[in-house]
Every structure is written in C-alpha cells, then in structure tokens.
Amino acid sequence: MSVKSKPAVLFVCLGNICRSPLAEAAFREEAERAGLDVTIDSAGTGDWHLGHAPDKRAQAVAKRHGVDISGYRARQVTPDDFRDFTHIVALDANNFADLRALAPADASAELSLLLDHVAGREGEAVADPYYGDDAGFDVTWADVTAGARGLLDRLKG
Ligand code: 4NP
C-alpha cells in the first residue's frame, strides 16, 4: 500500500484570495458530502496577500452557497507542498507553469489544471475575477464547483 493512501489536495491560484479559496471551499463541500477522507488546502504563487482573508466578493459568493470562508488566510506555495500533497491543482495555465518552475527535484505531487477534471473543458482556465465585477465571482463558483465534482469522482475512483 502506498504511504500516501490518504489523498491531500492543494488548490493554487495567484493571490490565494479569490479562486483557490473558492475551489478549496467547493471541494470541502463535495468531499464531505461524499464522505471522502482527504486533506484540503489552498495557496497562492504570489506573496501580495499573505495572511489576508479571502476577497469580500469571494466570501459573499461562498456564503450565498452556504459556506463560510471568512476564516481562511492566504499563504504562499512552499517546496514542502510538493512532497506533502498528493495532488496540486492549478486554477489557470500561468499558475500551472509557475508550479512547474517551483517544483523541487523530489516533488511527488501530481500537478493538474482544475478544469482538466471536467469532461469537455480540459485545458481551460478558471478566469481571474479579481479585477472584474461581482458577477465574475458567480462564474468562478460555477467553475470551481464543476472542477471539484470532477476531481472528487476521480479520487473516489
Ligand atoms: P486570485 O485573484 O489569484 O484568484 O486570488 C487575484 C488576487 C489578487 C491579485 C491577482 C489575482 N493581485 O494582483 O493582487
């Protein structure tokens, strides 16, 4: 049996205040509903928002869907993440490329793009809603929920 029998999933975007906290929240909901024992976290490739709570608009869309993410705090990806997590899931292609560049030689985590887990949407990005309006966060929620469901189905295998 693998030492990593329990899956551990890290969602990664740029700031860790919009998309990846929402992906974390959606995946927590799906995993809990499915009864899957899994470690879940999120992080950013950038360092601008370290220690900050999620963007108010992200908090609001999560709350509308029954999830409180006000206690989440932004952190940056570390080399240990590539050993500690079984799966690191990027929200867009830039995040994916940055993760590739950050990965230590002994990285064991499998890297993927969130929407690779949604049939017909492979290779697509979850668009960055940070500079847009509130409606963009509804799109983000729909995208991360679809990705979370697809990833969960794969992990449940
Ligand atoms: P996120 O959104 O990567 O989905 O958390 C962003 C948040 C902050 C910035 C960019 C994207 N920023 O440039 O500060």
Side-chain angles (χ1 to χ4, degrees):
M1 192 168 96
S2 158
V3 261
K4 282 188 175 174
S5 53
K6 176 177 167 177
V9 181
L10 180 70
F11 296 97
V12 176
C13 64
L14 181 59
N16 193 209
I17 57 166
C18 297
R19 292 166 294 171
S20 60
L22 290 175
E24 176 183 347
F27 191 68
R28 281 188 187 284
E29 287 288 290
E30 296 298 328
E32 196 167 316
R33 200 169 297 148
L36 185 74
D37 186 18
V38 53
T39 298
I40 309 167
D41 198 4
S42 65
T45 56
D47 64 359
W48 308 283
H49 299 284
L50 301 184
H52 295 184
D55 185 286
K56 291 287 182 204
R57 298 164 296 175
Q59 291 189 40
V61 75
K63 200 169 179 183
R64 285 201 293 282
H65 292 276
V67 194
D68 179 6
I69 63 168
S70 62
Y72 289 15
R73 293 294 178 265
R75 73 168 180 88
Q76 197 169 18
V77 177
T78 69
D80 278 341
D81 288 328
F82 292 86
R83 295 178 279 264
D84 293 344
F85 288 87
T86 57
H87 297 76
I88 299 184
V89 183
L91 276 286
D92 70 26
N94 286 329
N95 311 143
F96 188 90
D98 289 343
L99 285 166
R100 270 264 164 82
L102 286 167
D106 62 347
S108 51
E110 176 192 310
L111 289 187
S112 64
L113 204 53
L114 182 62
L115 292 179
D116 281 349
H117 303 287
V118 181
R121 299 195 64 186
E122 297 87 350
E124 283 186 32
V126 175
D128 188 346
Y130 185 66
Y131 295 104
D133 58 15
D134 287 8
F137 284 78
D138 290 313
V139 175
T140 308
W141 182 263
D143 283 352
V144 298
T145 300
R149 287 185 182 149
L151 177 60
L152 191 82
D153 283 345
R154 230 197 89 199
L155 292 180
K156 275 195 308 188

